[in-house]
């Protein structure tokens, strides 16, 4: 077979598989053309993915995801947070995908991580009596200081919140909870320093939007829970009814 014929053959097989994919609705027409131009890559290991994988993670990485033993974590009495929901350990592939989201300029990883974890958490986020209704009025992302957000180009918690908003049909509000002081990253501090690093750095800019609301606070990772707790404190002071949280992964420090 000459080169031109081989090329034609290759194009034909691409078109056939795309047709099948679109017919079976595994990917939309728009996504098909996007994938032709920009092949999808695994959010964990960065390899180029076969055409027909609906989520952007390769099968090997997906198989190796480490799940938490419990998806619901109850905070101690007296905390401003009631419960935290999370499906994944901050280990291995999920850790890699979150690291890329924060430092690798791959904002799209946020939606894929939410798409991967949401099915495991959906039942927890719903009203106990009316399962078709979510038990939250608004979703609020943990804020970055404006300078940090400018450096990164985005706030990953806002991206996570907006994908959750899509799945839950609950509005995600940006700019309601703000970070007034640019503190050193919690990950660089010891446990004692973490506890005082965030005192008084979060505030609610539009208390009218928070008062009496049932809030789902959103972050990428939880380690000691002090970021969530300080954010929740500001929301509670502004009159929130209650605050639970969703995080992509929980990090257990040794
Ligand atoms: Zn992979």
């Amino acid at each position: 077979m000459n080169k031109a014929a081989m090329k034609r053959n290759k194009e034909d097989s691409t078109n056939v598989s795309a047709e099948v994919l679109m017919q079976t609705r595994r990917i939309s027409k728009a996504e098909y053309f996007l994938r032709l131009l920009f092949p999808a890559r695994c959010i964990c290991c960065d390899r180029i993915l076969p055409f027909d994988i609906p989520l952007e993670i390769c099968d090997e990485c997906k198989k190796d995801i480490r799940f938490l033993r419990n998806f619901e974590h109850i905070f101690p009495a007296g905390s401003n947070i009631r419960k935290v929901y999370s499906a994944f350990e901050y280990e291995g592939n999920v850790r890699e995908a979150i690291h890329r989201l924060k430092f690798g300029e791959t904002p799209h990883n946020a939606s894929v991580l939410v798409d991967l974890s949401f099915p495991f958490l959906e039942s927890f986020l719903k009203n106990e009596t009316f399962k078709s209704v979510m038990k939250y009025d608004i979703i609020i992302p943990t804020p970055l200081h404006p300078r940090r957000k400018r450096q990164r180009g985005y706030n990953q918690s806002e991206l996570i919140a907006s994908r959750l908003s899509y799945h839950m049909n609950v509005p995600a509000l940006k700019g309601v909870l703000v970070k007034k002081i640019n503190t050193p990253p919690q990950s660089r501090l010891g446990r004692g320093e973490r506890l005082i690093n965030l005192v008084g750095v979060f505030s609610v800019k539009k208390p009218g939007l928070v008062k009496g609301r049932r809030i789902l606070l959103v972050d990428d990772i939880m380690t000691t829970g002090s970021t969530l707790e300080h954010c929740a404190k500001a929301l509670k002071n502004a009159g929130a009814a209650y605050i639970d949280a969703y995080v992509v992964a929980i990090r257990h420090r040794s």
Side-chain angles (χ1 to χ4, degrees), residues 84-151:
V84 174
Y85 300 105
S86 185
F88 306 135
E89 290 267 10
Y90 184 65
E91 286 295 338
N93 297 328
V94 167
R95 184 188 182 124
E96 201 54 50
I98 294 177
H99 190 86
R100 283 167 187 280
L101 168 64
K102 287 174 95 147
F103 307 108
E105 295 166 356
T106 53
H108 179 63
N109 283 19
S111 335
V112 183
L113 286 164
V114 172
D115 293 354
L116 277 171
S117 91
F118 187 73
F120 301 100
L121 304 175
E122 189 174 9
S123 62
F124 294 100
L125 304 173
K126 286 184 167 171
N127 188 303
E128 268 140 47
T129 322
F130 305 103
K131 293 282 181 200
S132 56
V133 179
M134 291 290 166
K135 59 187 185 198
Y136 304 98
D137 301 310
I138 49 175
I139 299 171
I140 293 202
T142 54
L144 283 181
H145 188 269
R147 197 178 311 146
R148 184 77 55 80
K149 186 174 167 181
R150 261 197 313 276
Q151 284 164 353

Side-chain angles (χ1 to χ4, degrees), residues 42 44-47 57-58 61:
C42 174
C44 306
C45 68
D46 202 38
R47 80 173 66 152
I57 179 166
C58 72
C61 287

Side-chain angles (χ1 to χ4, degrees), residues 55 110-115 118 139 158-168 172:
L55 270 175
S111 335
V112 183
L113 286 164
V114 172
D115 293 354
F118 187 73
I139 299 171
E158 288 177 359
L159 303 178
I160 293 165
S162 100
R163 189 62 177 178
L164 264 184
S165 166
Y166 161 83
H167 282 293
M168 293 170 66

Side-chain angles (χ1 to χ4, degrees), residues 227-240:
T227 303
L228 294 177
E229 176 59 24
H230 281 95
C231 287
K233 189 169 187 222
L235 293 166
K236 207 62 191 283
N237 289 343

Side-chain angles (χ1 to χ4, degrees), residues 35 43 45 49-50 84 97 158 161 166 173 178 201 217 228 253:
R35 285 190 178 196
I43 59 164
C45 68
L49 293 170
V84 174
E158 288 177 359
Y166 161 83
L173 305 181
V178 294
V201 310
L217 184 64
L228 294 177
R253 304 195 103 197

